[in-house]
Amino acid sequence: MDEEVLKILLIKDGPDDPAWIRSVLAQMTGDSGQPFCEVTEAATLAGGLERLAVGGVDVALLALSGPQGTRLETFKRVSAYRPEAPVLVLLTRRGSGLENDFIQSGAQDCLVEGEIDDRQAKRSILFAIDRQRRVNTFHRHLMELRHREARWKGVAEHNPDALLVMDENRSIHFANPATQDLTGVKPELLIGQSLSIPLEPQKAVEMNLTRKDGKTVAVEVRAAPMPWKEHRIWVVALRDISARKGMERTVRELNEQLRASAHLIEKQALSDPVTGSLNRRGLAKAVEDHLVSESEIQAIFVDLENLDAINEQFSYRAGDTALREIASRLRTAVGASHPIGRITGGQFLILISDPGPADAAALTDQVLKAVSQTPLRIGGAEVGLHAHAAGVSLRPSGLDDLILAGHRQISEARQAQRKAEAPPSPEEAAPSARREPKVSVTVDEFRNNARFLVVSQPIVQLRDEKVVGYEFFSRLVSLPMELPEEFFTFTFESHLLASVDHQCYLLGIRKAEAAPRNALIHLNLFSSTILEYSVADILGRLPPKRPKQDFCLEINREHLPADVAHLARRCQAFKRSGVRIGLNSVETTPEAADLVRRLEPDVIKLDRAVVNGIAEDSARQAALREWTGSFSPSARLAAVGIESRADMEALKHLGVHYGQGFYFGQPKQEVL
């Protein structure tokens, strides 16, 4: 299937020729190597507006000249002329706040000469089209709602009302037939009678009217005076609003329920289901809130080192108990004024509310003592909690900056601890020897010395408990990086994540060649690898003798792009070839449900936090049932971290198709 070629309109407003953007656009290609875009140029602003009026333009690039104010007004004119078309502004250099002015006025992005290459420009263009499409959809829905509201208002206004003509003494001189339905009295019997109602011109007044049968009716009164011979009379319209009043009461009650439900949903969306502290999304929001009023953020990064050991020695349920205990101790140590959140695994982040440097250091020591001082009792045994804590202080652009800074601090602390605990070499022991300080692992050392452990774990069909496939993933077994978080953080910071992940993918394929015939083969990939390597390269590495339908590429939820539209297109390309797509570490949150809808995976792998202990947690069972029912996924559900038969039976009853975990056996390992 041919890729769609984007229609780009380049509008020049002034003498400056944006040759640089032509060069950038010329280098762009689609995923299959075909041209990415077709560029049409308009030499003048008027010509550009005429071309926009014709339509068929996916995105407009606006090259502006002249003073800052003039350029901004020109952009507003173009944007207002065809507001549904995304516009990107081309700048030859950055100005004082100029980019922000354009963005706040509706520009999707600003591309600055010399600061952007073809890949960045391509990404900006795709993001701009996607954002504008969402804005257009929102405005279209808004207009539909307004038109619908106007139609219903017109229907309501044409309903028959009770009409009266009264004099200044409120004596009735005329009543139409509709008054009988409202008052219970025939119109002719109302003539000459008085009715105590407010006569306020140009104003709607609500009151309760007592009918002949004693029932009370809520009515809206509208009165207008008009001259009649030498006197003044009043034309009065009475409308029964009892139904509306009842509806308003119902709406108020529903709004209260909706507010309570929205508060609960927001709390669940921002909370970690295991510890009750903030999750990654909640931490990101807390960081954004801090940046509104703070020039920099001070935080404490806490890493529970022996969480994996607790999981392996006892169970993942024991690991969850340890995580909850850590969160409780952190809350006790720092108090309610400092937001606490769990990042992943045994890693926590505490945002410190406006302390001095000395207070922050003291609080870090206090946190470390609170976590590590008292052992945790698990199954009658006392287990020490071994953690590192590091304080960070910086002006981050977001949560990821804080996490990376914390990872660096923890990694340096571990290396210092290993150096202190290691016996001295003969050269170091010699008094006269010149001692050179050890350095951390370099990129070259990593490339030359990295060795990987390939792990295979069976995938069991819960219906009959038969092994139907295997998941293959890699772990680093050389160099001073013991934990997967350290390994992935190092490769991410060194811009090696995609290439190393691709290497691990190839090792998994090599190991998978020995898998039984017709077995499902699950391989893990980060989204950055899927986006950086071509579809043809990734598919071309699969064994040609096995059908594509045997393979499932599991997308790791770490380091997902902010906008997954391009990733979703890559997923569809894989699925067209027959390869399945999986999404791992999925929790029962609205955010995860939205990601499932956008990526449309064939396999949804539920996170251990959802799976472990679910047999004894009816609330978690109900949450999973409601979550899957909210979007009726056509995908197969798989559960990771099954440790007991009770959990397996509960998951099978809940409609989960596949399972993995220690209950089915230990993973097999091989160093490659």
Side-chain angles (χ1 to χ4, degrees):
M1 184 176 179
D2 293 334
E3 293 184 71
E4 181 182 357
V5 178
L6 294 182
K7 307 293 184 182
I8 295 180
L9 175 61
L10 176 58
I11 303 174
K12 296 186 293 183
D13 180 44
D16 296 338
D17 184 36
W20 63 275
I21 194 64
R22 294 194 194 95
S23 174
V24 171
L25 294 174
Q27 297 177 49
M28 293 184 187
T29 59
D31 294 337
S32 60
Q34 299 298 318
F36 171 73
C37 61
E38 177 181 315
V39 182
T40 301
E41 293 195 22
T44 64
L45 178 61
L49 296 178
E50 290 179 2
R51 180 62 187 84
L52 280 175
V54 174
V57 175
D58 293 312
V59 64
L61 305 181
L62 184 58
L64 299 172
S65 301
Q68 178 172 330
T70 303
R71 284 184 284 176
L72 188 59
E73 290 302 319
T74 302
F75 163 75
K76 291 179 179 179
R77 180 180 173 190
V78 173
S79 178
Y81 191 80
R82 200 66 182 263
E84 70 275 10
V87 179
L88 285 80
V89 177
L90 306 180
L91 300 175
T92 56
R93 63 180 183 277
R94 294 189 178 276
S96 57
L98 182 58
E99 298 89 343
N100 290 335
D101 291 341
F102 282 120
I103 296 299
Q104 292 176 3
S105 298
Q108 290 294 341
D109 205 347
C110 293
L111 308 183
V112 183
E113 180 180 359
E115 296 185 10
I116 191 165
D117 58 19
D118 58 308
R119 293 179 62 185
Q120 294 168 326
K122 179 180 177 181
R123 184 164 57 249
S124 293
I125 289 171
L126 291 174
F127 284 178
I129 292 173
D130 184 65
R131 286 194 298 267
Q132 190 64 46
R133 186 180 295 118
R134 293 172 182 272
V135 171
N136 294 343
T137 301
F138 169 80
H139 285 300
R140 185 172 66 255
H141 290 169
L142 183 61
M143 290 304 298
E144 290 175 358
L145 288 173
R146 287 176 176 173
H147 289 320
R148 190 178 305 168
E149 181 184 8
R151 286 195 299 270
W152 283 110
K153 185 178 180 181
V155 170
E157 289 177 347
H158 286 83
N159 283 336
D161 295 332
L163 296 177
L164 299 173
V165 176
M166 310 177 71
D167 59 26
E168 293 284 0
N169 297 320
R170 291 178 173 77
S171 178
I172 299 173
H173 294 266
F174 171 82
N176 71 340
T179 55
Q180 184 171 351
D181 296 331
L182 194 63
T183 64
V185 180
K186 292 182 179 181
E188 58 270 21
L189 298 180
L190 288 173
I191 305 301
Q193 300 294 320
S194 294
L195 193 60
S196 179
I197 57 176
L199 300 178
E200 299 185 27
Q202 309 301 322
K203 183 178 180 181
V205 179
E206 295 179 1
M207 61 170 290
N208 290 325
L209 182 68
T210 302
R211 290 169 44 88
K212 181 181 179 181
D213 55 11
K215 294 181 179 180
T216 301
V217 182
V219 297
E220 180 184 82
V221 181
R222 290 183 179 271
M226 63 175 295
W228 182 257
K229 299 181 180 179
E230 67 274 11
H231 303 289
R232 186 173 70 165
I233 61 173
W234 291 83
V235 177
V236 181
L238 301 177
R239 176 173 297 174
D240 187 345
I241 58 172
S242 301
R244 192 185 81 188
K245 285 295 185 181
M247 187 178 297
E248 287 175 355
R249 286 192 298 271
T250 302
V251 168
R252 283 195 298 270
E253 294 170 358
L254 289 175
N255 282 337
E256 292 175 0
Q257 296 175 13
L258 285 173
R259 280 192 292 270
S261 299
H263 178 72
L264 178 61
I265 291 171
E266 182 179 9
K267 182 178 179 181
Q268 292 175 342
L270 301 178
S271 299
D272 173 42
V274 176
T275 64
S277 58
L278 295 175
N279 59 14
R280 195 178 183 112
R281 182 179 177 185
L283 279 171
K285 184 177 183 300
V287 168
E288 291 177 2
D289 293 342
H290 268 63
L291 289 175
V292 172
S293 58
E294 302 291 339
S295 59
E296 68 175 26
I297 292 180
Q298 291 185 333
I300 301 174
F301 189 89
V302 181
D303 189 2
L304 177 61
E305 289 191 317
N306 59 332
L307 176 62
D308 288 341
I310 293 172
N311 287 333
E312 293 174 5
Q313 182 178 353
F314 298 97
S315 68
Y316 281 103
R317 188 175 303 174
D320 288 349
T321 300
L323 290 172
R324 284 190 285 270
E325 179 63 21
I326 288 284
S328 175
R329 293 182 183 184
L330 293 178
R331 281 190 286 268
T332 302
V334 303
S337 61
H338 305 295
I340 301 173
R342 177 175 168 232
I343 303 168
T344 184
Q347 296 179 353
F348 292 81
L349 190 69
I350 305 170
L351 301 180
I352 305 174
S353 300
D354 195 27
D359 295 335
L363 198 56
T364 302
D365 293 338
Q366 184 176 331
V367 164
L368 191 55
K369 290 178 181 177
V371 171
S372 306
Q373 201 167 35
T374 305
L376 178 67
R377 295 195 63 83
I378 300 178
E382 286 193 349
V383 179
L385 299 178
H386 307 304
H388 275 96
V392 294
S393 178
L394 70 157
R395 170 74 181 182
S397 60
L399 175 63
D400 287 345
D401 289 352
L402 283 174
I403 294 175
L404 290 177
H407 275 302
R408 292 192 192 99
Q409 296 276 17
I410 294 292
S411 180
E412 291 173 1
R414 286 200 183 101
Q415 291 175 12
Q417 182 177 354
R418 293 190 189 102
K419 180 179 178 181
E421 294 174 351
S425 64
E427 293 81 4
E428 292 173 327
S432 59
R434 180 181 176 183
R435 298 183 181 179
E436 295 292 337
K438 291 185 179 181
V439 296
S440 59
V441 175
T442 66
V443 173
D444 288 338
E445 288 173 335
F446 180 87
R447 287 172 171 162
N448 295 330
N449 301 317
R451 298 183 66 204
F452 296 95
L453 178 74
V454 178
V455 180
S456 63
Q457 188 175 44
I459 300 173
V460 176
Q461 186 169 258
L462 299 186
R463 182 183 63 217
D464 51 15
E465 299 183 39
K466 290 183 179 180
V467 176
V468 294
Y470 299 88
E471 179 184 359
F472 297 89
F473 51 92
S474 301
R475 292 291 181 263
L476 186 68
V477 293
S478 60
L479 303 176
M481 283 182 279
E482 299 173 357
L483 300 177
E485 291 82 0
E486 292 181 344
F487 163 47
F488 290 128
T489 299
F490 175 82
T491 55
F492 177 75
E493 294 176 352
S494 304
H495 305 289
L496 296 174
L497 180 58
S499 61
V500 172
D501 188 39
H502 188 259
Q503 181 182 352
C504 293
Y505 169 70
L506 298 181
L507 293 175
I509 292 174
R510 174 180 163 187
K511 179 73 174 177
E513 290 178 349
R517 187 178 179 182
N518 298 327
L520 300 175
I521 306 298
H522 283 231
L523 301 164
N524 290 271
L525 283 174
F526 280 93
S527 59
S528 58
T529 311
I530 293 175
L531 295 174
E532 185 165 326
Y533 288 84
S534 68
V535 173
D537 178 89
I538 295 175
L539 293 178
R541 305 288 183 161
L542 298 176
K545 294 183 180 180
R546 295 190 76 110
K548 295 291 192 294
Q549 290 80 0
D550 285 356
F551 292 93
C552 178
L553 302 181
E554 292 188 14
I555 300 175
N556 197 312
R557 288 192 65 198
E558 292 288 329
H559 306 300
L560 281 175
D563 190 329
V564 297
H566 189 40
L567 179 61
R569 288 193 289 271
R570 284 291 177 96
C571 291
Q572 292 302 318
F574 286 123
K575 294 173 73 171
R576 286 193 293 270
S577 74
V579 171
R580 305 181 189 187
I581 293 295
L583 185 63
N584 64 22
S585 302
V586 176
E587 298 179 351
T588 54
T589 63
E591 179 185 25
D594 180 65
L595 187 62
V596 168
R597 292 189 190 95
R598 299 184 67 183
L599 295 184
E600 299 181 355
D602 301 291
V603 179
I604 301 172
K605 300 192 77 172
L606 300 172
D607 189 72
R608 288 184 175 89
V610 178
V611 172
N612 196 256
I614 195 170
E616 301 174 1
D617 194 334
S618 58
R620 215 187 309 169
Q621 294 178 32
L624 177 58
R625 191 179 294 109
E626 182 179 358
W627 185 80
T628 55
S630 66
F631 56 92
S632 301
S634 59
R636 295 282 183 174
L637 291 174
V640 177
I642 298 178
E643 298 182 2
S644 67
R645 183 162 193 88
D647 283 348
M648 187 201 71
E649 293 291 346
L651 291 163
K652 182 167 61 175
H653 181 71
L654 288 166
V656 177
H657 306 89
Y658 303 117
Q660 294 175 249
F662 290 159
Y663 176 73
F664 303 111
Q666 296 287 336
K668 296 181 180 180
Q669 304 176 350
E670 179 181 348
V671 178
L672 296 179

